[in-house]
Amino acid sequence: MSVKKIIPQILEYVKPVGYSSLTFNGLLADYIREYNTTYHTGIDGVPFERYRGTCGCTRLPKSREWLDECFLNRVWRRVNRDSTVSIDKVSYDVPMQFISSKVEIRYLPDDMGSAFILSDGGHYPIRRTDRNENCRVKRENQPAIDYSRIGGAGA
């Protein structure tokens, strides 16, 4: 049965009246079988033969962790001087060693707690900036600038 003859038959069974899933499944199986065993100019061959010819080239992933890492979102960000980056308008703290450098961040959009910086094969975790904790951190006061010693305007 040719593909052109079977499509109207399939469409006939898709209609709400007279729908028979067993008949439809049989027609669909016939269509798929014929489709996969006829010559296609786009691939210059028969799909099933092409599949069988390339199934030996299938590669297995290095590890489960490597495969999971392949599906993470990736963004590049420049780390601010206060050791933070912004992802989707949310600030995240990163290790201080990356200040002023461009870093690759990998994450799952629905699990930002597992986000990390990938650098030289190492994973460096990042975490959401806690503004309440940040306002209580003691910082060294920088020495005041004495403009009279450097020849400022008042000298």
Side-chain angles (χ1 to χ4, degrees):
M1 186 177 290
S2 80
V3 174
K4 292 178 182 174
K5 292 179 184 176
I6 200 165
I7 291 177
Q9 291 177 347
I10 291 174
L11 293 177
E12 177 183 326
Y13 285 103
V14 173
K15 294 178 184 176
V17 179
Y19 177 81
S20 169
S21 63
L22 292 176
T23 307
F24 178 75
N25 288 344
L27 289 171
L28 183 60
D30 291 342
Y31 170 76
I32 291 171
R33 189 176 304 107
E34 183 173 340
Y35 180 86
N36 286 323
T37 57
T38 56
Y39 181 82
H40 293 263
T41 57
I43 61 171
D44 194 30
V46 177
F48 186 69
E49 291 172 5
R50 174 120 182 222
Y51 164 74
R52 291 190 63 197
T54 59
C55 65
C57 301
T58 305
R59 295 180 295 159
L60 295 176
K62 298 175 187 175
S63 67
R64 176 70 183 186
E65 294 79 23
W66 177 85
L67 184 62
D68 289 341
E69 198 172 288
C70 288
F71 288 95
L72 295 175
N73 285 12
R74 303 170 187 198
V75 292
W76 287 88
R77 294 289 187 269
R78 181 152 318 268
V79 179
N80 299 325
R81 290 183 182 227
D82 62 351
S83 185
T84 61
V85 293
S86 177
I87 302 172
D88 295 331
K89 299 180 183 178
V90 178
S91 183
Y92 294 90
D93 293 329
V94 302
M96 293 181 73
Q97 66 199 43
F98 296 110
I99 291 177
S100 297
S101 61
K102 195 171 184 179
V103 295
E104 179 183 10
I105 300 172
R106 295 194 181 182
Y107 64 96
L108 288 171
D110 56 344
D111 182 23
M112 289 302 290
S114 64
F116 61 90
I117 293 175
L118 183 65
S119 176
D120 297 327
H123 296 171
Y124 301 90
I126 67 173
R127 64 184 181 99
R128 189 171 182 159
T129 303
D130 184 358
R131 295 185 188 273
N132 289 327
E133 177 187 320
N134 212 9
C135 72
R136 292 183 181 84
V137 173
K138 288 275 190 187
R139 293 176 175 80
E140 287 184 28
N141 289 332
Q142 296 294 324
I145 299 174
D146 187 1
Y147 290 103
S148 64
R149 290 187 177 186
I150 59 173

